[in-house]
Amino acid sequence: MVAPVNAPHIVKAFSEELEQLSADVSAMGGMAESMVADALESASTRDAERAAAVVLRDRDVDNRERVIEKQIIRLLALRQPIAQDLRTCISALKIVNDLERVADLAKSIARRVPTLIESDPTSFAVAVDRMGKVVQSHLNEVLDAYATGNAEKAIAVWERDDDVDEHYNALFRELVTAMADEKSMIEPGAHLLFIAKNLERIGDHATNIAEVVHYLVTGADIAATRPRGTRPTAFDGE
Amino acid sequence: MTAYEKLQAGASVRQETLYHPVEGSYTTKVATKNVTVHYGDKSALNGVSIEIPACTVTSFIGPSGCGKSTFLRSINRMNDTIDNARVSGSILIDGEEVNDRNVDPVVLRARVGMVFQKPNPFPKTIYENVAYGPRIHGLAADKDQLDAIVETSLRKAGLWDEVADRLDQPGTSLSGGQQQRLVIARAIAVNPEVILMDEPCSALDPIATARIEELIDELRENYTLIIVTHSMAQAARVSQMTAFFHLGSLVEYGPTEEIFTNPRDQRTQDYITGRFG
Ligand SMILES: Nc1ncnc2c1ncn2[C@@H]1O[C@H](COP(=O)(O)OP(=O)(O)OP(=O)(O)O)[C@@H](O)[C@H]1O
Ligand SMILES: [Mg+2]
C-alpha cells in the first residue's frame, strides 16, 4: 500500500507545513545516513581525519532534531491535526528521535577509529564492513519508504531485521574466539566488537523506523498483525 | 498469499470489530434500517442503516446539508411536524418501531428527548420549565414529588447550585450556557432513555461548552446520547462512536478513536482533516 495522494487542505498553509515537516525529516535522515556511511568508510580506510569530521557533524543532527520537534509541537498546538495529519506529526516525532540515535551511534563508531588505527589491521575489518553495508542498505531503504510513503518497502526492511542480528551474532562469536586464541587480537577485536554492536543498534533503529512508516501509511501496527518470532518463515508463501 | 496480502487480511478482521465500541457486549438502543427522508420531491437522506449502542455517546458529523439534523429528527418523529417531510424505512428503539401507528409521538418525545442548537426555554419560570413535562405526563403524585423531580433534574444537569435561590425567575433570564443546561434538565425531567442533541454547544463559550461536555459524559451512565456537532474536537472529546454523513448517506461509522486516527473512507479523511473533497 502506498499512501494515497491527498487533496490539499482548505487552509493552504497547513498542507505546506506538513510537506515541509516531511521534507525536513527526510533531510535529517540523509544527514544521519551519510554520517553512518562516512564513519564506516573512515574505519575501513583508516582515515582519522574523516572520522573526526563525522564526530563534529553529530551536533548538526541534534540541532536539526530540536528544530523539527519545535515545528511538530507548533503544528499540534495550532492545527490540532487528526487522522492522517496526526499520524504524519507523530511519525515525524518518532523518526527524528530514532535518527538522532543513529547519528549518535555513527559518532561512537567514528570515535573508535583513531584507536583502531593504532592497532594492527585484521581480516575481521572486512566482516564488520560487510555488516555495515547491510545496515546501511536497511537505513537507506527505510528512509526511501518514508519519503515515498511505501508500506511494502517498510515491511521488507522490517522483515530483514534478522539479517543484521545474524551478522552480529556470527561476528561476535568469531571475534571472541580469535581474541581468546591470540592476545594481539584483543585490542583491535574489542574496537571491532563495539563498532559491530553500534551497527546492530543502528539496524534496530531502522527497524523502528520501518514500523513507524507502516503505521504512518496504513494506520495499523505491523507487530500486531505479525507477531515477532514467527516472522521469517510465516510469510514465505505456502 | 504475499506477506502484504496477509497483513491486509489481518487488517480487515480488525475492521469487522469496528462496530463493537464498548468492551465486551453491548445492547443496541436505536437501530435504523434504510431510513429515507424526502422534503417534497427532494431527497435529503438516502437509506441510512445504523445501530446505536445503549449508554454511549454517538456523534453525527458531516458537511452542512448532509442530513444530520434530518436523521436526528426522524428518531423521535420530529419530522412529522414538518409539512412536506416524508420518512420511510424502519426505526427501532429497544426493538419497537417508532413509526408504528400505535406509538403516541408525545410519549415518544418524552422517551427520546431533544436539545437544540439555540437554547429554547419556555417563557416561564425556571421551575416551570422543568416541572412542565413531568406534570403533563403525570410523573409526580403531589407537589413534593414534583419539587423533588425538579431538583434532581437540575442537579443532574449541573445547574442546581446556580439557580436554587431563583427558581421563580424566568428561564430566559439565564445566560446562554445556563439556558442550555436548563433545557437539558427539562429533557431529563421526563425520564428519557435517549437524548438527541443538535449542535448543543455552538452558541456557547469554551467554559460553558466544557460544562455541557462534562454533563454529557455523566449522562452517558444512564442515557443513550446522540449529538450532532460541527466541532471535530468536540466529537473526539465526548463520543465513543462517530458516524460520518455525506450527501444524505452514512459513509462511515465506528469507534471515535478509529475514525479520528485512521478513517477508512477517503471522504471521511478529507472532511475531518479539512481537505477539499
Ligand atoms: N424543512 C425543510 N424543507 C425543505 N428542505 C429541507 C428542510 N430541512 C432540511 N432540508 C434540506 O435537507 C437537506 C439536509 O438538511 P439537514 O438540515 O438535515 O442538514 P444538516 O446536516 O443538519 O446541516 P447543518 O450542518 O447545516 O445543520 C438539506 O439539503 C436541506 O436543505
Ligand atoms: Mg443541522
Side-chain angles (χ1 to χ4, degrees):
Chain A
M1 179 175 164
V2 177
V5 179
N6 280 299
H9 288 91
I10 294 161
V11 177
K12 224 189 293 154
F14 187 15
S15 286
E16 289 164 3
E17 286 162 11
L18 288 172
E19 275 163 30
Q20 187 62 50
L21 174 63
S22 303
D24 288 352
V25 173
S26 284
M28 182 176 164
M31 291 164 83
E33 206 184 344
S34 75
M35 279 176 67
V36 175
D38 285 356
L40 283 168
E41 183 84 13
S42 67
S44 70
T45 59
R46 302 170 77 85
D47 182 344
E49 228 170 275
R50 191 167 192 170
V54 171
V55 172
L56 288 178
R57 269 146 66 195
D58 184 47
R59 189 176 301 168
D60 299 340
V61 174
D62 288 352
N63 288 338
R64 183 60 80 107
E65 186 197 19
R66 236 165 279 136
V67 170
I68 294 177
E69 271 177 8
K70 268 199 197 131
Q71 261 171 274
I72 297 166
I73 290 167
R74 184 179 171 279
L75 269 164
L76 293 175
L78 301 185
R79 306 281 184 204
Q80 290 147 24
I82 46 180
Q84 201 201 349
D85 300 335
L86 179 63
R87 300 209 301 271
T88 300
C89 293
I90 297 302
S91 301
L93 200 57
K94 294 184 92 162
I95 291 173
V96 296
N97 185 34
D98 278 308
L99 290 174
E100 187 272 328
R101 297 293 305 136
V102 168
D104 253 5
L105 292 162
K107 180 177 76 173
S108 296
I109 293 173
R111 276 219 174 114
R112 295 252 156 212
V113 170
T115 38
L116 181 72
I117 295 171
E118 281 166 22
S119 54
D120 292 333
T122 80
S123 58
F124 288 106
V126 180
V128 172
D129 199 50
R130 207 180 308 126
M131 179 180 172
K133 290 279 184 298
V134 173
V135 170
Q136 270 181 280
S137 82
H138 286 195
L139 190 57
N140 179 276
E141 277 170 50
V142 83
L143 288 171
D144 194 52
Y146 173 70
T148 55
N150 188 330
E152 276 114 335
K153 213 164 188 174
I155 292 173
V157 174
W158 192 78
E159 287 185 331
R160 290 207 314 272
D161 176 45
D162 290 353
D163 295 0
V164 175
D165 293 348
E166 277 161 24
H167 261 95
Y168 177 69
N169 291 335
L171 196 63
F172 183 88
R173 270 194 306 275
E174 288 168 31
L175 271 169
V176 169
T177 310
M179 286 156 80
D181 285 354
E182 211 174 317
K183 229 175 160 190
S184 68
M185 272 303 293
I186 291 179
E187 190 165 337
H191 292 308
L192 290 174
L193 264 186
F194 269 109
I195 292 174
K197 182 69 202 168
N198 287 338
L199 286 173
E200 188 251 350
R201 286 166 65 195
I202 292 172
D204 285 345
H205 288 293
T207 307
N208 287 350
I209 296 173
E211 289 176 5
V212 175
V213 171
H214 185 272
Y215 170 73
L216 169 65
V217 177
T218 66
D221 181 6
I222 299 191
T225 36
R226 37 179 75 192
R228 278 191 181 265
T230 62
R231 256 182 310 143
T233 47
F235 293 103
D236 49 10
E238 60 208 65
Chain B
M1 220 188 214
T2 68
Y4 197 71
E5 279 164 358
K6 292 209 176 180
L7 185 71
Q8 288 296 294
S12 75
V13 171
R14 198 167 66 99
Q15 202 165 356
E16 276 163 33
T17 61
L18 261 182
Y19 298 90
H20 300 270
V22 187
E23 301 272 316
S25 61
Y26 70 94
T27 42
T28 298
K29 187 71 192 180
V30 180
T32 77
K33 204 145 196 159
N34 235 347
V35 173
T36 296
V37 179
H38 285 85
Y39 293 107
D41 50 13
K42 187 173 160 288
S43 122
L45 212 59
N46 328 314
V48 173
S49 304
I50 193 170
E51 284 187 16
I52 292 170
C55 295
T56 35
V57 181
T58 299
S59 53
F60 289 175
I61 60 170
S64 201
C66 68
K68 305 178 296 292
S69 300
T70 299
F71 186 50
L72 203 64
R73 281 198 302 267
S74 64
I75 297 172
N76 69 347
R77 286 180 55 178
M78 290 289 265
N79 285 324
D80 290 10
T81 62
I82 298 173
D83 275 349
N84 61 345
R86 261 185 310 121
V87 182
S88 68
S90 157
I91 298 158
L92 306 176
I93 295 181
D94 291 337
E96 273 176 67
E97 177 59 56
V98 306
N99 289 313
D100 202 283
R101 220 178 272 272
N102 307 322
V103 172
D104 176 353
V106 176
V107 174
L108 173 67
R109 285 174 208 144
R111 278 180 73 193
V112 184
M114 191 146 184
V115 174
F116 298 89
Q117 173 174 6
K118 267 183 67 186
N120 56 346
F122 304 139
K124 292 182 171 159
T125 64
I126 293 169
Y127 182 93
E128 273 308 312
N129 260 281
V130 184
Y132 180 78
R135 191 182 289 126
I136 62 161
H137 287 287
L139 298 182
D142 53 36
K143 174 82 168 96
D144 284 351
Q145 275 188 17
L146 195 58
D147 286 353
I149 292 175
V150 169
E151 179 173 342
T152 318
S153 306
L154 285 167
R155 279 191 190 282
K156 279 193 196 158
L159 189 60
W160 177 253
D161 292 340
E162 288 157 67
V163 300
D165 56 359
R166 51 193 280 204
L167 292 173
D168 53 352
Q169 287 177 24
T172 49
S173 68
L174 297 171
S175 75
Q178 289 172 327
Q179 286 186 26
Q180 200 60 304
R181 278 179 281 143
L182 177 63
V183 171
I184 293 171
R186 189 175 74 194
I188 295 171
V190 291
N191 209 9
E193 296 158 36
V194 180
I195 303 176
L196 311 175
M197 299 184 167
D198 198 346
E199 299 179 49
C201 300
S202 62
L204 305 183
D205 79 5
I207 300 294
T209 298
R211 301 195 66 153
I212 301 284
E213 289 180 359
E214 169 60 17
L215 175 59
I216 288 171
D217 200 50
E218 284 167 12
L219 293 176
R220 171 160 74 93
E221 204 177 314
N222 302 305
Y223 308 94
T224 301
L225 294 108
I226 305 175
I227 171 170
V228 170
T229 176
H230 279 135
S231 159
M232 297 304 102
Q234 178 167 67
R237 286 192 300 261
V238 303
S239 67
Q240 291 74 53
M241 294 293 281
T242 295
F244 172 67
F245 293 82
H246 186 65
L247 298 174
S249 298
L250 174 62
V251 168
E252 188 166 353
Y253 173 49
T256 300
E257 206 178 303
E258 291 275 343
I259 302 282
F260 284 95
T261 55
N262 193 17
R264 307 275 152 180
D265 195 286
Q266 188 67 36
R267 287 165 293 178
T268 316
Q269 165 106 282
D270 287 346
Y271 178 71
I272 64 174
T273 60
R275 286 180 164 85
F276 292 105

